[in-house]
Amino acid sequence: MILTRTAPQFLFDFGSPNAYLSHLAIPAIEQRIGVKFEYVPILLGGIFKSTNNKSPAETLAGIKNKREFQQIETERFIKRFHVQPYVWNPHFPVNTLNLMRAAIAAQLEGVFEKYIEAAFHHMWREPKKMDDPEIAAKALASSGLDAQKLFTRAGEPEVKAKLIKNTEEAVARGAFGSPTFFVGNEMFFGKEQLREVEEMVSGK
């Protein structure tokens, strides 16, 4: 598989359980289309602030039947893509600022894919309070990462600036949440849209 100029982009934040489910579904899609997704770290809180959006936990509060339907939709997604359901993080919402900055640092350090697997795992498979620096460092270290090095580098101005740039560019392109996907200039929002992403890339 190759990462091409027209590779589908996956704009993600570890704080989104739907981004986690998308991450689990992507490898099989990559195998079918023969193209790797480009993972783009963004700060969901920054996108929400820029677009006056809120998390589903807030927007669905008090709406009869909508939350229940979304649960059914998630169950359909899990069956369709043969992925494991997430384990609800009892500390939700988790402030992901440092985790997302460290994702940029992991790109620079050449451990991006390993970091993504670890961070998603400790958010949504064996959930922990990942906005606690000590807990996050211990969790990432248990996954074989140099957590101290990544979090130190996460504080560097150029790393912070890159995450801001990714987030601002996402909003400028039309994003208002995560998971968001782009195929060229075509935007798709929500894990269910992965079917359309696959169809567009494969030309079906």
Side-chain angles (χ1 to χ4, degrees), residues 30-70:
E30 290 177 329
Q31 289 292 332
R32 289 193 293 269
I33 65 179
V35 178
K36 282 187 70 65
F37 278 63
E38 178 189 356
Y39 278 58
V40 181
I42 51 89
L43 185 64
L44 189 53
I47 286 183
F48 283 168
K49 186 175 181 180
S50 295
T51 60
N52 198 32
N53 195 7
K54 296 178 181 178
S55 72
E58 294 178 273
T59 59
L60 297 183
I63 301 177
K64 185 177 177 59
N65 297 329
K66 191 171 183 180
R67 187 186 296 276
E68 290 78 5
F69 172 74
Q70 292 223 325

Side-chain angles (χ1 to χ4, degrees), residues 17 26 39 41 51 53 56 85 88 91 112 119 127:
I26 282 171
Y39 278 58
T51 60
N53 195 7
W88 183 252
H91 308 289
F112 190 46

Side-chain angles (χ1 to χ4, degrees), residues 120-131:
F120 269 133
H121 178 85
H122 294 295
M123 276 289 298
W124 299 111
R125 247 348 285 158
E126 296 181 19
K128 301 171 181 67
K129 186 171 172 52
M130 293 296 283
D131 51 5

Side-chain angles (χ1 to χ4, degrees), residues 13 84 118 141 155 157-158 183 192 195:
D13 184 304
Q84 290 183 311
E158 58 265 34
V183 180
E192 293 78 15
R195 285 179 296 174

Side-chain angles (χ1 to χ4, degrees), residues 102 115 133-142 144-154:
Y115 178 82
E134 289 187 13
I135 291 173
K138 185 177 180 180
L140 295 171
S142 75
L145 290 158
D146 188 338
Q148 199 58 53
K149 185 176 184 180
L150 291 174
F151 282 134
T152 297
R153 190 152 195 191

